[in-house]
Amino acid sequence: MTEYYQENPFSVQIEPVEGCNLRCGFCGLNGIRGKENNYKMMSLETATKIAEGMKEQRWTSRIEFAMHGEPTFNDDLHEIIKVFRKNLPKANLMMLSNGGNIIKDPLRMITEYFSSGLDTLGLDEYQQISLVPKIWKRLFEGNNQGVPIEEIGAGQVFFNDVSVWVYPDFGDGGNPHKRVKTKRLIRISPIDLQTKGTHSNLTNHTGAGAPKNNKKMGIRCAKPFREISFRYDGSVAICCNDWRGEFMIGSINDLSLKELWHHERFKAARKKLYYGERDFGACDGCDAMSYRLGFLPDKKGLDSLDRVNAEEELLIKEVEALKTKADVFLRDWEK
């Protein structure tokens, strides 16, 4: 069997900010932060390295601005979006936000994000937080649309060329992760109440958001096959759910994008997860569920992977022994 070469990822996740204005109980941020926020920002230089690396490798992956914090608090966010749009003119750029910094001037700020090159902006609403409802109200009142908010229809265009959606209420067309050719502003119904849609399955964030469990032991995970996630400083862990950085791969500041994606640590982890072996690093006790698991390791599921060998098992143990990337603040169930 020839050595397997992993195809380019479906999505590249970018963390403009580590830190958030909210502290939802189910969020893994509580497992890497005390009560203080001390926001950590991605620099324009780091973002440029990633964007230029994608251009060089001719990746067509969807770009997702979010991860472990509220992205709108990065003062360079507009420039970061522009860098990705400049280097990847045909890429789909999506951002998720709780509206923390947008609330100040919704119409102006949202318009600027789309003008910078964003394709989709999803506003995450939470049951006990009034940010998104206030933004929604100010946005349409300030734009003098004269249409009651409750009468907004699926995909209506309200300002410039941006269509408006409520997900999952308006159907799959409002799924923020779906690649479409139109610009979309999406109000995502309370994530902590959802029973349908891609945002309805809250995970334990590998123990930082909720207790670890073995519910998905023996079940494949597609994340390291289909996505790569860049933290604010350019470092890469096995996936976005690894909040604490228990299984680190490397950094864009030390390695090229190609070297990161095809790193020996990634290769070993993919072999383990291809066989559902969630017994190492951050994957031990993780309950994240992936879709289309039959289509691994390649996009059509035509290839296969060998199990890890002794050398790769040793490599995994060496990575496990490293200090976590982020600070560890024990949750109640970990004490």
Side-chain angles (χ1 to χ4, degrees):
M1 177 180 176
T2 58
E3 184 178 1
Y4 177 73
Y5 190 79
Q6 187 60 43
E7 297 173 322
N8 299 343
F10 291 0
S11 67
V12 175
Q13 299 178 334
I14 306 297
E15 181 181 85
V17 176
E18 183 192 277
C20 186
N21 52 305
L22 306 180
R23 282 302 172 85
C24 303
F26 56 78
C27 182
L29 186 65
N30 299 291
I32 64 174
R33 292 291 173 88
K35 294 182 178 180
E36 74 288 345
N37 244 334
N38 61 310
Y39 292 101
K40 299 176 181 178
M41 310 293 184
M42 175 174 282
S43 68
L44 185 57
E45 179 184 8
T46 297
T48 300
K49 287 181 180 179
I50 301 169
E52 290 180 346
M54 290 186 66
K55 178 181 179 181
E56 180 183 346
Q57 293 300 307
R58 298 183 179 181
W59 282 11
T60 58
S61 317
R62 179 182 65 242
I63 312 298
E64 302 178 6
F65 300 103
M67 280 182 64
H68 307 140
E70 173 49 43
T72 59
F73 284 105
N74 190 319
D75 291 338
D76 291 328
L77 182 58
H78 292 100
E79 296 305 315
I80 288 174
I81 295 172
K82 288 177 182 178
V83 161
F84 279 93
R85 177 53 70 212
K86 176 183 177 181
N87 283 280
L88 306 160
K90 295 183 179 180
N92 187 273
L93 307 187
M94 181 265 281
M95 182 168 75
L96 296 177
S97 166
N98 64 39
N101 206 29
I102 294 175
I103 190 69
K104 297 186 299 185
D105 192 346
L107 181 58
R108 179 184 64 80
M109 296 194 73
I110 290 175
T111 299
E112 288 180 358
Y113 291 137
F114 283 111
S115 297
S116 296
L118 200 64
D119 292 299
T120 296
L121 173 58
L123 297 177
D124 274 321
E125 185 175 351
Y126 299 93
Q127 183 183 6
Q128 303 298 330
I129 308 297
S130 60
L131 276 172
V132 174
K134 287 181 179 179
I135 289 172
W136 211 248
K137 190 171 187 293
R138 292 180 189 178
L139 182 64
F140 294 106
E141 286 182 348
N143 207 27
N144 298 315
Q145 295 297 336
V147 178
I149 296 174
E150 60 272 13
E151 294 182 12
I152 295 174
Q156 283 186 253
V157 176
F158 271 81
F159 55 94
N160 298 333
D161 56 348
V162 179
S163 60
V164 178
W165 299 79
V166 178
Y167 182 73
D169 303 45
F170 288 178
D172 197 49
N175 184 343
H177 297 280
K178 188 174 184 179
R179 300 192 198 197
V180 298
K181 295 182 179 179
T182 57
K183 294 184 181 297
R184 299 175 301 164
L185 172 65
I186 304 169
R187 178 174 176 174
I188 302 170
S189 298
I191 189 172
D192 46 343
L193 292 179
Q194 278 307 312
T195 58
K196 60 181 180 179
T198 57
H199 292 70
S200 62
N201 297 317
L202 290 173
T203 73
N204 61 13
H205 292 164
T206 69
K212 285 177 175 283
N213 61 71
N214 293 316
K215 294 179 180 178
K216 297 297 186 293
M217 180 65 76
I219 299 176
R220 288 177 173 177
C221 178
K223 285 187 175 296
F225 295 90
R226 295 174 179 164
E227 68 180 47
I228 184 170
S229 304
F230 287 92
R231 302 172 88 99
Y232 71 94
D233 60 355
S235 60
V236 174
I238 189 170
C239 79
C240 61
N241 277 318
D242 186 2
W243 284 68
R244 288 167 170 163
E246 295 179 68
F247 197 91
M248 297 302 298
I249 305 299
S251 172
I252 193 67
N253 294 307
D254 303 317
L255 301 170
S256 69
L257 189 62
K258 181 178 180 180
E259 289 171 328
L260 281 169
W261 184 239
H262 300 287
H263 199 285
E264 294 302 316
R265 294 179 179 181
F266 252 150
K267 290 180 181 179
R270 289 180 185 124
K271 286 184 178 182
K272 293 280 282 184
L273 294 173
Y274 180 76
Y275 289 97
E277 297 175 2
R278 303 189 184 208
D279 59 357
F280 68 99
C283 302
D284 187 9
C286 175
D287 60 6
M289 183 65 185
S290 303
Y291 300 93
R292 301 190 301 276
L293 294 175
F295 294 100
L296 291 176
D298 58 293
K299 292 182 176 69
K300 296 183 179 180
L302 299 177
D303 215 319
S304 62
L305 293 180
D306 293 329
R307 290 185 179 274
V308 291
N309 55 39
E311 184 178 344
E312 290 167 327
E313 287 282 12
L314 180 59
L315 174 63
I316 288 173
K317 291 187 181 300
E318 290 175 351
V319 179
E320 288 179 309
L322 298 175
K323 183 181 182 297
T324 58
K325 173 64 182 178
D327 293 332
V328 175
F329 287 84
L330 296 179
R331 305 299 303 272
D332 289 342
W333 53 84
E334 297 178 302
K335 296 177 181 178

